[in-house]
Amino acid sequence: WWYRVHGWRSSSLSHAARPTPATGMLRSSPLPLVALALIVATALGAHHFPEYHHHHQHEHMHVESDAFNDAQRVIEAFRGASRATVVLRPFNLSSVRLAAASRFDQMERFNTDFLLSLEDDRLACLYAAAANLSTTCVPYGHPRYYGHYLGHWLSATAFSVASAAAPSGAAVRNKSAAIVATLAEAQAAWSALGGRHVGYLFPYSLDAFDNLFGYAKPGQYLNCAPVCVPFYVMHKVMAGMLDQYQHAGNRQALRVLLGMADWV
């Protein structure tokens, strides 16, 4: 299955270069985790749903017994591993240096140039307009920009600021700080309305959430009016604010994030 899905049948790949269960698959693929999940799930099913397995007793008894024993051994192995010493820890982006003029350095510069090329008022337009801060801005069109895209942009600029190799670091920091400030103004405008609006920050009104479980008529959902996945969109912006605080040191982003969390 693994070989078929991931294209290892290619004639251009010699047999010697193909990963084996003892090398490539176990070390660099998620297959062992998938197998572990299947083993544990099967074992738990055999334990908790005896009526089902009694019905299929002749077909599955041997397989389930083996699976349960395998799961027990895996659990015991993990119990032993939990006492292991931690030897790997995450490192800061500032600890990474890209070789000058390397392909990676060129791509990082290209990425940073793109982040800087987007116009502030268009990036924040939907949020500013929803909070009645602007009536003239023109947002970027779908699919480049939808409510969640701004969250991705906030994360990308935060990582760019944190990376020691990133060019135009000051420009990226200033631009992302300006966007965060605009969003903070939008949140303050919503909060001034009081009640359910306190801490709210979204590119659409509360209707997006009220309609999530509403109906236009029996069996017809309203949850795509005006956006299908409002909590997903909000999560992207919250993640962007967290990244701005953690990687770019923007404390205003933290205050906005906490306000959003209180609203949720």
Side-chain angles (χ1 to χ4, degrees):
W1 170 83
W2 179 263
Y3 287 90
R4 289 198 301 272
V5 171
H6 290 80
W8 297 117
R9 296 173 298 172
S10 172
S11 59
S12 62
L13 191 64
S14 68
H15 179 76
R18 296 173 186 173
T20 66
T23 56
M25 289 172 65
L26 289 181
R27 293 183 181 178
S28 61
S29 80
L31 185 59
L33 296 180
V34 175
L36 171 61
L38 290 174
I39 290 171
V40 174
T42 304
L44 291 177
H47 180 70
H48 291 292
F49 302 101
E51 66 281 358
Y52 169 83
H53 295 284
H54 176 74
H55 180 70
H56 298 275
Q57 182 175 7
H58 297 293
E59 297 180 37
H60 302 293
M61 182 182 296
H62 179 70
V63 174
E64 288 162 356
S65 177
D66 289 345
F68 189 80
N69 291 335
D70 289 342
Q72 289 288 81
R73 287 193 289 271
V74 170
I75 291 171
E76 291 301 320
F78 270 99
R79 284 175 178 168
S82 66
R83 295 188 293 271
T85 302
V86 177
V87 295
L88 297 176
R89 298 186 185 278
F91 52 84
N92 295 326
L93 289 175
S94 59
S95 301
V96 179
R97 296 290 191 277
L98 298 180
S102 67
R103 176 173 176 267
F104 299 107
D105 179 57
Q106 293 171 1
M107 294 308 297
E108 183 177 44
R109 291 175 182 275
F110 179 82
N111 182 66
T112 303
D113 289 344
F114 174 76
L115 295 174
L116 290 171
S117 71
L118 299 178
E119 301 173 27
D120 293 12
D121 61 335
R122 299 191 69 183
L123 274 172
C125 181
L126 291 180
Y127 290 84
N132 292 320
L133 296 181
S134 174
T135 58
T136 60
C137 65
V138 179
Y140 285 109
H142 185 74
R144 170 179 288 184
Y145 181 75
Y146 202 54
H148 63 286
Y149 179 84
L150 185 55
H152 292 299
W153 186 90
L154 289 170
S155 293
T157 51
F159 298 152
S160 183
V161 169
S163 177
S168 307
V172 175
R173 182 188 298 275
N174 293 337
K175 187 178 184 69
S176 60
I179 296 295
V180 170
T182 298
L183 295 178
E185 292 180 23
Q187 186 183 55
W190 281 114
S191 297
L193 299 176
R196 297 171 59 211
H197 296 90
V198 175
Y200 188 69
L201 177 62
F202 203 66
Y204 305 99
S205 71
L206 283 170
D207 290 345
F209 294 90
D210 291 340
N211 291 339
L212 189 60
F213 300 106
Y215 299 90
K217 61 180 67 174
Q220 180 177 346
Y221 288 97
L222 283 172
N223 63 333
C224 283
V227 58
C228 295
V229 284
F231 280 108
Y232 170 81
V233 174
M234 181 167 282
H235 170 262
K236 296 301 104 178
V237 175
M238 294 178 76
M241 289 294 179
L242 181 61
D243 288 333
Q244 282 290 322
Y245 170 64
Q246 291 186 322
H247 298 286
N250 189 325
R251 297 196 63 82
Q252 186 178 38
L254 176 63
R255 292 192 292 270
V256 172
L257 172 61
L258 293 177
M260 297 177 73
D262 286 341
W263 182 87
V264 173

